[in-house]
Short mmCIF file of all heavy atoms in Angstrom, two decimals:
data_model
loop_
_atom_site.label_atom_id
_atom_site.label_comp_id
_atom_site.label_asym_id
_atom_site.label_seq_id
_atom_site.Cartn_x
_atom_site.Cartn_y
_atom_site.Cartn_z
N MET A 663 -16.06 -23.79 -9.67
CA MET A 663 -15.96 -23.57 -8.21
C MET A 663 -14.51 -23.32 -7.82
O MET A 663 -13.64 -24.16 -8.08
CB MET A 663 -16.51 -24.78 -7.47
CG MET A 663 -16.81 -24.49 -6.03
SD MET A 663 -17.82 -25.78 -5.24
CE MET A 663 -16.64 -27.11 -5.10
N LEU A 664 -14.27 -22.20 -7.20
CA LEU A 664 -12.91 -21.88 -6.79
C LEU A 664 -12.62 -22.51 -5.43
O LEU A 664 -13.43 -22.44 -4.51
CB LEU A 664 -12.72 -20.36 -6.69
CG LEU A 664 -12.61 -19.60 -8.02
CD1 LEU A 664 -12.70 -18.10 -7.77
CD2 LEU A 664 -11.34 -19.93 -8.74
N PRO A 665 -11.46 -23.14 -5.29
CA PRO A 665 -11.10 -23.74 -4.01
C PRO A 665 -10.84 -22.69 -2.93
O PRO A 665 -10.92 -22.96 -1.75
CB PRO A 665 -9.83 -24.53 -4.33
CG PRO A 665 -9.26 -23.86 -5.53
CD PRO A 665 -10.43 -23.29 -6.31
N TRP A 666 -10.55 -21.49 -3.35
CA TRP A 666 -10.17 -20.45 -2.41
C TRP A 666 -10.64 -19.13 -3.00
O TRP A 666 -10.21 -18.75 -4.07
CB TRP A 666 -8.64 -20.48 -2.24
CG TRP A 666 -8.09 -19.54 -1.22
CD1 TRP A 666 -7.51 -18.33 -1.46
CD2 TRP A 666 -8.02 -19.73 0.19
NE1 TRP A 666 -7.11 -17.76 -0.29
CE2 TRP A 666 -7.40 -18.59 0.73
CE3 TRP A 666 -8.45 -20.75 1.04
CZ2 TRP A 666 -7.19 -18.46 2.11
CZ3 TRP A 666 -8.23 -20.61 2.39
CH2 TRP A 666 -7.61 -19.48 2.92
N PRO A 667 -11.55 -18.44 -2.31
CA PRO A 667 -12.09 -17.21 -2.90
C PRO A 667 -10.99 -16.19 -3.20
O PRO A 667 -10.15 -15.91 -2.35
CB PRO A 667 -13.04 -16.68 -1.82
CG PRO A 667 -13.31 -17.84 -0.93
CD PRO A 667 -12.09 -18.72 -1.00
N LEU A 668 -11.05 -15.68 -4.40
CA LEU A 668 -10.00 -14.77 -4.85
C LEU A 668 -9.92 -13.53 -3.96
O LEU A 668 -8.84 -13.04 -3.66
CB LEU A 668 -10.28 -14.36 -6.30
CG LEU A 668 -9.09 -13.78 -7.07
CD1 LEU A 668 -7.94 -14.79 -7.12
CD2 LEU A 668 -9.51 -13.43 -8.49
N LYS A 669 -11.08 -13.04 -3.55
CA LYS A 669 -11.11 -11.84 -2.70
C LYS A 669 -10.36 -12.09 -1.39
O LYS A 669 -9.59 -11.26 -0.94
CB LYS A 669 -12.55 -11.45 -2.40
CG LYS A 669 -13.06 -10.31 -3.27
CD LYS A 669 -14.42 -9.86 -2.78
CE LYS A 669 -14.91 -8.68 -3.61
NZ LYS A 669 -16.31 -8.36 -3.29
N LEU A 670 -10.63 -13.23 -0.80
CA LEU A 670 -10.00 -13.57 0.47
C LEU A 670 -8.49 -13.70 0.27
O LEU A 670 -7.70 -13.23 1.09
CB LEU A 670 -10.58 -14.88 1.00
CG LEU A 670 -10.07 -15.36 2.37
CD1 LEU A 670 -10.35 -14.31 3.44
CD2 LEU A 670 -10.75 -16.66 2.75
N TRP A 671 -8.11 -14.32 -0.82
CA TRP A 671 -6.69 -14.47 -1.13
C TRP A 671 -6.01 -13.11 -1.22
O TRP A 671 -4.94 -12.89 -0.69
CB TRP A 671 -6.52 -15.25 -2.43
CG TRP A 671 -5.12 -15.30 -2.91
CD1 TRP A 671 -4.61 -14.75 -4.04
CD2 TRP A 671 -4.01 -15.97 -2.27
NE1 TRP A 671 -3.27 -15.00 -4.14
CE2 TRP A 671 -2.88 -15.75 -3.07
CE3 TRP A 671 -3.88 -16.70 -1.09
CZ2 TRP A 671 -1.62 -16.24 -2.73
CZ3 TRP A 671 -2.63 -17.19 -0.76
CH2 TRP A 671 -1.53 -16.96 -1.57
N ARG A 672 -6.69 -12.19 -1.90
CA ARG A 672 -6.11 -10.85 -2.04
C ARG A 672 -5.95 -10.18 -0.69
O ARG A 672 -4.97 -9.49 -0.44
CB ARG A 672 -7.01 -9.98 -2.93
CG ARG A 672 -6.83 -10.26 -4.41
CD ARG A 672 -7.08 -8.99 -5.20
NE ARG A 672 -6.05 -8.01 -4.92
CZ ARG A 672 -5.28 -7.45 -5.84
NH1 ARG A 672 -5.43 -7.79 -7.09
NH2 ARG A 672 -4.39 -6.55 -5.52
N ASN A 673 -6.92 -10.39 0.20
CA ASN A 673 -6.82 -9.80 1.53
C ASN A 673 -5.62 -10.35 2.28
O ASN A 673 -4.93 -9.62 2.99
CB ASN A 673 -8.10 -10.07 2.33
CG ASN A 673 -9.24 -9.19 1.85
OD1 ASN A 673 -9.01 -8.18 1.19
ND2 ASN A 673 -10.45 -9.58 2.17
N VAL A 674 -5.39 -11.66 2.13
CA VAL A 674 -4.24 -12.27 2.79
C VAL A 674 -2.95 -11.67 2.24
O VAL A 674 -2.04 -11.31 2.98
CB VAL A 674 -4.25 -13.81 2.59
CG1 VAL A 674 -2.95 -14.42 3.08
CG2 VAL A 674 -5.44 -14.43 3.31
N VAL A 675 -2.88 -11.53 0.93
CA VAL A 675 -1.69 -10.95 0.31
C VAL A 675 -1.50 -9.53 0.80
O VAL A 675 -0.40 -9.13 1.18
CB VAL A 675 -1.81 -10.97 -1.23
CG1 VAL A 675 -0.67 -10.18 -1.86
CG2 VAL A 675 -1.81 -12.41 -1.73
N ASP A 676 -2.59 -8.76 0.84
CA ASP A 676 -2.51 -7.38 1.31
C ASP A 676 -1.99 -7.33 2.73
O ASP A 676 -1.13 -6.52 3.06
CB ASP A 676 -3.88 -6.72 1.25
CG ASP A 676 -4.34 -6.51 -0.18
OD1 ASP A 676 -3.48 -6.59 -1.08
OD2 ASP A 676 -5.52 -6.28 -0.39
N ALA A 677 -2.53 -8.17 3.59
CA ALA A 677 -2.12 -8.16 5.00
C ALA A 677 -0.64 -8.50 5.13
O ALA A 677 0.07 -7.92 5.94
CB ALA A 677 -2.97 -9.15 5.79
N ARG A 678 -0.19 -9.45 4.32
CA ARG A 678 1.22 -9.84 4.40
C ARG A 678 2.11 -8.72 3.87
O ARG A 678 3.19 -8.48 4.40
CB ARG A 678 1.45 -11.12 3.60
CG ARG A 678 0.74 -12.30 4.21
CD ARG A 678 1.23 -13.59 3.64
NE ARG A 678 2.65 -13.78 3.90
CZ ARG A 678 3.30 -14.93 3.71
NH1 ARG A 678 2.65 -15.96 3.25
NH2 ARG A 678 4.57 -15.03 3.97
N LEU A 679 1.65 -8.04 2.83
CA LEU A 679 2.42 -6.91 2.31
C LEU A 679 2.60 -5.85 3.38
O LEU A 679 3.68 -5.31 3.55
CB LEU A 679 1.70 -6.30 1.10
CG LEU A 679 1.94 -6.96 -0.24
CD1 LEU A 679 1.12 -6.26 -1.32
CD2 LEU A 679 3.41 -6.91 -0.61
N LEU A 680 1.52 -5.57 4.10
CA LEU A 680 1.58 -4.53 5.10
C LEU A 680 2.53 -4.90 6.23
O LEU A 680 3.11 -4.03 6.88
CB LEU A 680 0.18 -4.25 5.67
CG LEU A 680 -0.68 -3.35 4.81
CD1 LEU A 680 -2.02 -3.09 5.47
CD2 LEU A 680 0.02 -2.02 4.55
N ASP A 681 2.68 -6.21 6.47
CA ASP A 681 3.60 -6.64 7.52
C ASP A 681 5.05 -6.32 7.19
O ASP A 681 5.85 -6.06 8.07
CB ASP A 681 3.48 -8.16 7.73
CG ASP A 681 2.34 -8.49 8.68
OD1 ASP A 681 1.82 -7.55 9.31
OD2 ASP A 681 1.99 -9.66 8.76
N ILE A 682 5.38 -6.39 5.92
CA ILE A 682 6.79 -6.26 5.55
C ILE A 682 7.12 -4.88 5.00
O ILE A 682 8.28 -4.52 4.91
CB ILE A 682 7.21 -7.33 4.52
CG1 ILE A 682 6.31 -7.27 3.29
CG2 ILE A 682 7.15 -8.71 5.15
CD1 ILE A 682 6.82 -8.10 2.14
N LEU A 683 6.09 -4.11 4.64
CA LEU A 683 6.36 -2.84 3.99
C LEU A 683 6.42 -1.70 4.99
O LEU A 683 5.51 -1.51 5.79
CB LEU A 683 5.28 -2.53 2.95
CG LEU A 683 5.41 -3.33 1.66
CD1 LEU A 683 4.25 -3.00 0.74
CD2 LEU A 683 6.72 -3.03 0.97
N VAL A 684 7.49 -0.96 4.95
CA VAL A 684 7.60 0.26 5.74
C VAL A 684 8.01 1.38 4.80
O VAL A 684 8.48 1.15 3.69
CB VAL A 684 8.63 0.12 6.88
CG1 VAL A 684 8.18 -0.91 7.90
CG2 VAL A 684 10.00 -0.21 6.34
N CYS A 685 7.85 2.59 5.26
CA CYS A 685 8.22 3.75 4.47
C CYS A 685 9.74 3.74 4.25
O CYS A 685 10.51 3.60 5.21
CB CYS A 685 7.78 5.01 5.19
SG CYS A 685 8.37 6.50 4.38
N PRO A 686 10.19 3.89 2.99
CA PRO A 686 11.62 3.89 2.74
C PRO A 686 12.34 5.12 3.30
O PRO A 686 13.56 5.10 3.47
CB PRO A 686 11.72 3.87 1.20
CG PRO A 686 10.41 4.38 0.73
CD PRO A 686 9.39 4.00 1.77
N LEU A 687 11.58 6.15 3.62
CA LEU A 687 12.21 7.36 4.14
C LEU A 687 12.36 7.32 5.66
O LEU A 687 13.44 7.52 6.20
CB LEU A 687 11.39 8.60 3.73
CG LEU A 687 11.38 8.90 2.23
CD1 LEU A 687 10.55 10.15 1.97
CD2 LEU A 687 12.78 9.08 1.69
N CYS A 688 11.23 7.06 6.35
CA CYS A 688 11.26 7.13 7.81
C CYS A 688 11.18 5.76 8.47
O CYS A 688 11.25 5.67 9.69
CB CYS A 688 10.14 8.03 8.32
SG CYS A 688 8.50 7.34 8.04
N LYS A 689 11.05 4.70 7.66
CA LYS A 689 10.96 3.32 8.16
C LYS A 689 9.75 3.11 9.05
O LYS A 689 9.70 2.17 9.84
CB LYS A 689 12.23 2.90 8.92
CG LYS A 689 13.52 3.25 8.22
CD LYS A 689 13.70 2.44 6.96
CE LYS A 689 15.02 2.80 6.28
NZ LYS A 689 15.05 2.41 4.87
N GLY A 690 8.80 4.01 8.95
CA GLY A 690 7.57 3.88 9.74
C GLY A 690 6.55 3.01 9.04
O GLY A 690 6.71 2.68 7.85
N PRO A 691 5.49 2.64 9.75
CA PRO A 691 4.44 1.80 9.16
C PRO A 691 3.62 2.58 8.14
O PRO A 691 3.48 3.80 8.24
CB PRO A 691 3.58 1.40 10.36
CG PRO A 691 3.80 2.48 11.37
CD PRO A 691 5.22 2.96 11.16
N LEU A 692 3.11 1.87 7.16
CA LEU A 692 2.31 2.49 6.11
C LEU A 692 0.85 2.13 6.29
O LEU A 692 0.52 1.07 6.80
CB LEU A 692 2.80 2.02 4.74
CG LEU A 692 4.21 2.46 4.36
CD1 LEU A 692 4.71 1.64 3.17
CD2 LEU A 692 4.24 3.93 4.04
N GLU A 693 0.00 3.04 5.86
CA GLU A 693 -1.43 2.77 5.89
C GLU A 693 -1.89 2.42 4.49
O GLU A 693 -1.59 3.11 3.53
CB GLU A 693 -2.19 4.01 6.38
CG GLU A 693 -2.16 4.14 7.88
CD GLU A 693 -2.89 5.39 8.33
OE1 GLU A 693 -3.89 5.77 7.71
OE2 GLU A 693 -2.41 6.01 9.29
N TYR A 694 -2.66 1.35 4.42
CA TYR A 694 -3.12 0.87 3.12
C TYR A 694 -4.46 1.49 2.79
O TYR A 694 -5.42 1.34 3.53
CB TYR A 694 -3.21 -0.65 3.15
CG TYR A 694 -3.74 -1.26 1.88
CD1 TYR A 694 -3.34 -0.78 0.64
CD2 TYR A 694 -4.62 -2.34 1.90
CE1 TYR A 694 -3.80 -1.35 -0.53
CE2 TYR A 694 -5.08 -2.91 0.75
CZ TYR A 694 -4.68 -2.41 -0.47
OH TYR A 694 -5.15 -2.99 -1.62
N ASP A 695 -4.50 2.22 1.68
CA ASP A 695 -5.75 2.78 1.19
C ASP A 695 -6.25 1.91 0.06
O ASP A 695 -5.75 1.97 -1.06
CB ASP A 695 -5.52 4.22 0.71
CG ASP A 695 -6.85 4.90 0.34
OD1 ASP A 695 -7.81 4.19 0.00
OD2 ASP A 695 -6.90 6.14 0.40
N LYS A 696 -7.24 1.10 0.40
CA LYS A 696 -7.73 0.11 -0.56
C LYS A 696 -8.36 0.78 -1.78
O LYS A 696 -8.16 0.35 -2.91
CB LYS A 696 -8.76 -0.80 0.12
CG LYS A 696 -8.83 -2.17 -0.50
CD LYS A 696 -9.54 -3.13 0.43
CE LYS A 696 -8.96 -4.51 0.25
NZ LYS A 696 -9.20 -5.41 1.35
N LYS A 697 -9.12 1.85 -1.55
CA LYS A 697 -9.85 2.50 -2.63
C LYS A 697 -8.88 3.16 -3.61
O LYS A 697 -9.01 3.03 -4.81
CB LYS A 697 -10.83 3.52 -2.05
CG LYS A 697 -12.17 3.50 -2.76
CD LYS A 697 -13.24 4.21 -1.95
CE LYS A 697 -12.99 5.71 -1.90
NZ LYS A 697 -14.02 6.42 -1.12
N ALA A 698 -7.91 3.86 -3.06
CA ALA A 698 -6.96 4.58 -3.91
C ALA A 698 -5.83 3.68 -4.38
O ALA A 698 -5.07 4.08 -5.26
CB ALA A 698 -6.39 5.77 -3.15
N GLN A 699 -5.72 2.47 -3.80
CA GLN A 699 -4.61 1.59 -4.10
C GLN A 699 -3.27 2.30 -3.87
O GLN A 699 -2.43 2.43 -4.77
CB GLN A 699 -4.72 1.05 -5.54
CG GLN A 699 -5.72 -0.08 -5.68
CD GLN A 699 -5.34 -1.31 -4.87
OE1 GLN A 699 -4.38 -1.98 -5.17
NE2 GLN A 699 -6.10 -1.60 -3.80
N GLU A 700 -3.14 2.77 -2.65
CA GLU A 700 -1.93 3.48 -2.26
C GLU A 700 -1.52 3.06 -0.86
O GLU A 700 -2.35 2.65 -0.06
CB GLU A 700 -2.17 4.99 -2.27
CG GLU A 700 -2.29 5.59 -3.65
CD GLU A 700 -2.63 7.07 -3.59
OE1 GLU A 700 -3.22 7.52 -2.58
OE2 GLU A 700 -2.33 7.77 -4.55
N LEU A 701 -0.25 3.20 -0.58
CA LEU A 701 0.26 3.03 0.77
C LEU A 701 0.70 4.40 1.26
O LEU A 701 1.56 5.04 0.65
CB LEU A 701 1.43 2.05 0.78
CG LEU A 701 1.06 0.60 0.47
CD1 LEU A 701 2.30 -0.20 0.12
CD2 LEU A 701 0.34 -0.04 1.64
N THR A 702 0.10 4.84 2.35
CA THR A 702 0.32 6.20 2.81
C THR A 702 1.21 6.23 4.03
O THR A 702 1.02 5.46 4.98
CB THR A 702 -1.03 6.86 3.13
OG1 THR A 702 -1.89 6.74 2.01
CG2 THR A 702 -0.84 8.34 3.46
N CYS A 703 2.19 7.14 4.00
CA CYS A 703 2.99 7.43 5.19
C CYS A 703 2.52 8.77 5.71
O CYS A 703 2.69 9.80 5.06
CB CYS A 703 4.47 7.49 4.83
SG CYS A 703 5.48 8.01 6.22
N ARG A 704 1.92 8.75 6.89
CA ARG A 704 1.37 9.99 7.43
C ARG A 704 2.46 10.99 7.83
O ARG A 704 2.34 12.18 7.52
CB ARG A 704 0.45 9.69 8.61
CG ARG A 704 -0.93 9.26 8.15
CD ARG A 704 -1.84 8.95 9.32
NE ARG A 704 -3.12 8.43 8.85
CZ ARG A 704 -4.19 9.20 8.67
NH1 ARG A 704 -4.15 10.47 8.94
NH2 ARG A 704 -5.31 8.67 8.23
N PRO A 705 3.51 10.57 8.52
CA PRO A 705 4.55 11.55 8.91
C PRO A 705 5.17 12.26 7.71
O PRO A 705 5.44 13.46 7.77
CB PRO A 705 5.59 10.70 9.65
CG PRO A 705 4.84 9.50 10.12
CD PRO A 705 3.77 9.25 9.09
N ASP A 706 5.40 11.53 6.63
CA ASP A 706 6.02 12.13 5.45
C ASP A 706 4.98 12.73 4.49
O ASP A 706 5.34 13.43 3.55
CB ASP A 706 6.83 11.09 4.68
CG ASP A 706 8.08 10.69 5.44
OD1 ASP A 706 8.65 11.55 6.13
OD2 ASP A 706 8.49 9.52 5.34
N ARG A 707 3.71 12.39 4.73
CA ARG A 707 2.62 12.85 3.84
C ARG A 707 2.89 12.44 2.41
O ARG A 707 2.80 13.23 1.47
CB ARG A 707 2.44 14.36 3.94
CG ARG A 707 1.87 14.78 5.28
CD ARG A 707 1.68 16.28 5.33
NE ARG A 707 1.35 16.69 6.68
CZ ARG A 707 1.82 17.81 7.23
NH1 ARG A 707 2.64 18.58 6.57
NH2 ARG A 707 1.48 18.13 8.45
N LEU A 708 3.26 11.19 2.25
CA LEU A 708 3.48 10.64 0.92
C LEU A 708 2.62 9.40 0.74
O LEU A 708 2.42 8.62 1.67
CB LEU A 708 4.96 10.26 0.74
CG LEU A 708 5.95 11.41 0.60
CD1 LEU A 708 7.37 10.87 0.58
CD2 LEU A 708 5.67 12.22 -0.65
N ALA A 709 2.12 9.24 -0.48
CA ALA A 709 1.34 8.05 -0.81
C ALA A 709 2.05 7.30 -1.93
O ALA A 709 2.27 7.85 -3.01
CB ALA A 709 -0.07 8.44 -1.23
N TYR A 710 2.41 6.07 -1.63
CA TYR A 710 3.09 5.24 -2.63
C TYR A 710 2.06 4.47 -3.43
O TYR A 710 1.19 3.81 -2.85
CB TYR A 710 4.06 4.27 -1.95
CG TYR A 710 5.13 5.00 -1.16
CD1 TYR A 710 4.96 5.29 0.19
CD2 TYR A 710 6.30 5.42 -1.78
CE1 TYR A 710 5.92 5.98 0.91
CE2 TYR A 710 7.27 6.10 -1.07
CZ TYR A 710 7.08 6.38 0.27
OH TYR A 710 8.03 7.06 0.98
N PRO A 711 2.13 4.54 -4.74
CA PRO A 711 1.12 3.86 -5.56
C PRO A 711 1.33 2.35 -5.58
O PRO A 711 2.45 1.85 -5.43
CB PRO A 711 1.35 4.46 -6.96
CG PRO A 711 2.78 4.86 -6.98
CD PRO A 711 3.13 5.25 -5.56
N ILE A 712 0.22 1.63 -5.76
CA ILE A 712 0.27 0.18 -5.97
C ILE A 712 -0.18 -0.07 -7.40
O ILE A 712 -1.31 0.25 -7.76
CB ILE A 712 -0.62 -0.57 -4.98
CG1 ILE A 712 -0.18 -0.25 -3.55
CG2 ILE A 712 -0.58 -2.07 -5.22
CD1 ILE A 712 -1.13 -0.79 -2.49
N ARG A 713 0.72 -0.62 -8.20
CA ARG A 713 0.39 -0.86 -9.60
C ARG A 713 0.39 -2.36 -9.87
O ARG A 713 1.39 -3.03 -9.66
CB ARG A 713 1.39 -0.17 -10.52
CG ARG A 713 1.29 1.34 -10.40
CD ARG A 713 2.16 2.08 -11.40
NE ARG A 713 2.19 3.50 -11.02
CZ ARG A 713 3.31 4.23 -10.99
NH1 ARG A 713 4.45 3.70 -11.34
NH2 ARG A 713 3.27 5.48 -10.63
N ASP A 714 -0.76 -2.85 -10.33
CA ASP A 714 -0.92 -4.29 -10.59
C ASP A 714 -0.55 -5.11 -9.36
O ASP A 714 0.07 -6.16 -9.47
CB ASP A 714 -0.07 -4.72 -11.80
CG ASP A 714 -0.49 -3.99 -13.07
OD1 ASP A 714 -1.69 -3.74 -13.23
OD2 ASP A 714 0.39 -3.68 -13.88
N GLY A 715 -0.91 -4.59 -8.18
CA GLY A 715 -0.67 -5.32 -6.95
C GLY A 715 0.74 -5.19 -6.41
O GLY A 715 1.08 -5.78 -5.41
N ILE A 716 1.57 -4.41 -7.09
CA ILE A 716 2.95 -4.26 -6.65
C ILE A 716 3.17 -2.84 -6.14
O ILE A 716 3.01 -1.87 -6.89
CB ILE A 716 3.93 -4.55 -7.81
CG1 ILE A 716 3.73 -5.99 -8.30
CG2 ILE A 716 5.37 -4.32 -7.36
CD1 ILE A 716 4.35 -6.25 -9.66
N PRO A 717 3.51 -2.70 -4.86
CA PRO A 717 3.75 -1.36 -4.33
C PRO A 717 5.03 -0.75 -4.91
O PRO A 717 6.06 -1.40 -4.98
CB PRO A 717 3.91 -1.60 -2.81
CG PRO A 717 3.52 -3.02 -2.58
CD PRO A 717 3.70 -3.75 -3.86
N ILE A 718 4.91 0.48 -5.34
CA ILE A 718 6.07 1.19 -5.89
C ILE A 718 6.67 2.02 -4.76
O ILE A 718 6.18 3.08 -4.40
CB ILE A 718 5.65 2.11 -7.06
CG1 ILE A 718 4.71 1.38 -8.01
CG2 ILE A 718 6.87 2.66 -7.79
CD1 ILE A 718 5.32 0.22 -8.76
N MET A 719 7.74 1.50 -4.18
CA MET A 719 8.29 2.10 -2.97
C MET A 719 9.43 3.06 -3.27
O MET A 719 10.53 2.94 -2.73
CB MET A 719 8.76 1.01 -2.00
CG MET A 719 7.68 0.01 -1.64
SD MET A 719 6.21 0.80 -0.99
CE MET A 719 6.90 1.44 0.52
N TRP A 720 9.19 4.00 -4.14
CA TRP A 720 10.19 5.00 -4.46
C TRP A 720 9.63 6.38 -4.11
O TRP A 720 8.52 6.70 -4.51
CB TRP A 720 10.56 4.96 -5.94
CG TRP A 720 11.13 3.66 -6.35
CD1 TRP A 720 10.47 2.64 -6.98
CD2 TRP A 720 12.49 3.22 -6.18
NE1 TRP A 720 11.35 1.60 -7.20
CE2 TRP A 720 12.57 1.92 -6.73
CE3 TRP A 720 13.62 3.80 -5.61
CZ2 TRP A 720 13.77 1.20 -6.72
CZ3 TRP A 720 14.80 3.07 -5.60
CH2 TRP A 720 14.88 1.80 -6.16
N ALA A 721 10.41 7.16 -3.40
CA ALA A 721 9.93 8.46 -2.96
C ALA A 721 9.59 9.35 -4.16
O ALA A 721 8.65 10.14 -4.10
CB ALA A 721 10.96 9.14 -2.07
N ASP A 722 10.33 9.20 -5.26
CA ASP A 722 10.05 10.08 -6.40
C ASP A 722 8.82 9.62 -7.19
O ASP A 722 8.38 10.33 -8.08
CB ASP A 722 11.28 10.22 -7.31
CG ASP A 722 11.75 8.89 -7.87
OD1 ASP A 722 11.14 7.86 -7.55
OD2 ASP A 722 12.73 8.89 -8.62
N GLN A 723 8.30 8.44 -6.86
CA GLN A 723 7.04 7.99 -7.48
C GLN A 723 5.85 8.29 -6.58
O GLN A 723 4.71 8.10 -6.97
CB GLN A 723 7.09 6.48 -7.72
CG GLN A 723 8.16 6.05 -8.73
CD GLN A 723 7.73 6.35 -10.15
OE1 GLN A 723 6.64 5.96 -10.58
NE2 GLN A 723 8.58 7.05 -10.89
N ALA A 724 6.13 8.73 -5.37
CA ALA A 724 5.06 8.91 -4.40
C ALA A 724 4.31 10.21 -4.66
O ALA A 724 4.86 11.17 -5.20
CB ALA A 724 5.63 8.90 -2.99
N ARG A 725 3.06 10.19 -4.23
CA ARG A 725 2.20 11.36 -4.39
C ARG A 725 2.17 12.12 -3.08
O ARG A 725 2.13 11.53 -2.00
CB ARG A 725 0.79 10.87 -4.74
CG ARG A 725 -0.23 11.93 -4.97
CD ARG A 725 -1.54 11.29 -5.43
NE ARG A 725 -2.19 10.52 -4.38
CZ ARG A 725 -2.99 11.06 -3.45
NH1 ARG A 725 -3.21 12.34 -3.45
NH2 ARG A 725 -3.54 10.33 -2.51
N LYS A 726 2.22 13.45 -3.17
CA LYS A 726 2.10 14.27 -1.97
C LYS A 726 0.66 14.23 -1.48
O LYS A 726 -0.27 14.40 -2.24
CB LYS A 726 2.49 15.71 -2.28
CG LYS A 726 3.98 15.94 -2.35
CD LYS A 726 4.45 16.72 -1.12
CE LYS A 726 5.91 17.14 -1.26
NZ LYS A 726 6.83 16.03 -1.03
N VAL A 727 0.50 13.99 -0.18
CA VAL A 727 -0.82 13.92 0.41
C VAL A 727 -1.10 15.21 1.15
O VAL A 727 -0.21 15.74 1.82
CB VAL A 727 -0.92 12.72 1.37
CG1 VAL A 727 -2.29 12.66 2.04
CG2 VAL A 727 -0.65 11.43 0.61
N GLU A 728 -2.32 15.70 0.99
CA GLU A 728 -2.70 16.92 1.70
C GLU A 728 -2.62 16.69 3.21
O GLU A 728 -2.97 15.63 3.70
CB GLU A 728 -4.12 17.32 1.32
CG GLU A 728 -4.27 17.71 -0.14
CD GLU A 728 -3.36 18.88 -0.52
OE1 GLU A 728 -3.29 19.84 0.27
OE2 GLU A 728 -2.70 18.81 -1.57
N PRO A 729 -2.13 17.68 3.95
CA PRO A 729 -1.99 17.52 5.40
C PRO A 729 -3.31 17.40 6.14
O PRO A 729 -3.33 17.00 7.28
CB PRO A 729 -1.24 18.81 5.82
CG PRO A 729 -1.44 19.75 4.70
CD PRO A 729 -1.62 18.94 3.46
N THR A 730 -4.41 17.76 5.50
CA THR A 730 -5.71 17.73 6.18
C THR A 730 -6.34 16.35 6.08
O THR A 730 -7.41 16.20 5.51
CB THR A 730 -6.66 18.77 5.57
OG1 THR A 730 -6.67 18.58 4.15
CG2 THR A 730 -6.20 20.17 5.89
N LEU A 731 -5.68 15.34 6.61
CA LEU A 731 -6.27 13.99 6.57
C LEU A 731 -7.04 13.69 7.84
O LEU A 731 -6.51 13.83 8.90
CB LEU A 731 -5.17 12.94 6.36
CG LEU A 731 -4.83 12.61 4.92
CD1 LEU A 731 -3.68 11.62 4.85
CD2 LEU A 731 -6.05 12.06 4.18
ZN1 LIG B 1262 7.69 7.96 6.00
#
């Protein structure tokens, strides 16, 4: 029996990450894509990957996002 559901814990961690993470280029808020495990900056059209729960906040690691979102 787990004292604290792992899923809920992950959600708390995710929410806290989103509070502190902004786009390194425009300092704007990021959108969390749970399915793709990416943090997306809409103005810059960049998606920062999350690897093993750690967001990779480097512009040269980011993926270009299609403008038709
Ligand atoms: Zn940005």
Side-chain angles (χ1 to χ4, degrees):
M663 196 167 72
L664 286 169
W666 185 260
L668 198 58
K669 259 188 178 171
L670 183 59
W671 173 246
R672 281 211 67 123
N673 285 341
V674 171
V675 172
D676 291 343
R678 294 194 61 168
L679 276 178
L680 279 182
D681 275 348
I682 56 169
L683 284 177
V684 294
C685 173
L687 293 181
C688 67
K689 314 292 181 199
L692 294 165
E693 279 178 36
Y694 177 41
D695 187 334
K696 207 164 212 159
K697 221 164 69 180
Q699 281 297 292
E700 288 175 335
L701 292 164
T702 306
C703 174
R704 279 179 185 265
D706 289 327
R707 291 181 190 141
L708 288 174
Y710 299 92
I712 301 172
R713 294 186 192 135
D714 299 325
I716 300 163
I718 315 294
M719 304 305 294
W720 299 99
D722 59 0
Q723 296 284 308
R725 181 175 69 84
K726 282 253 188 283
V727 178
E728 295 301 316
T730 51
L731 271 177

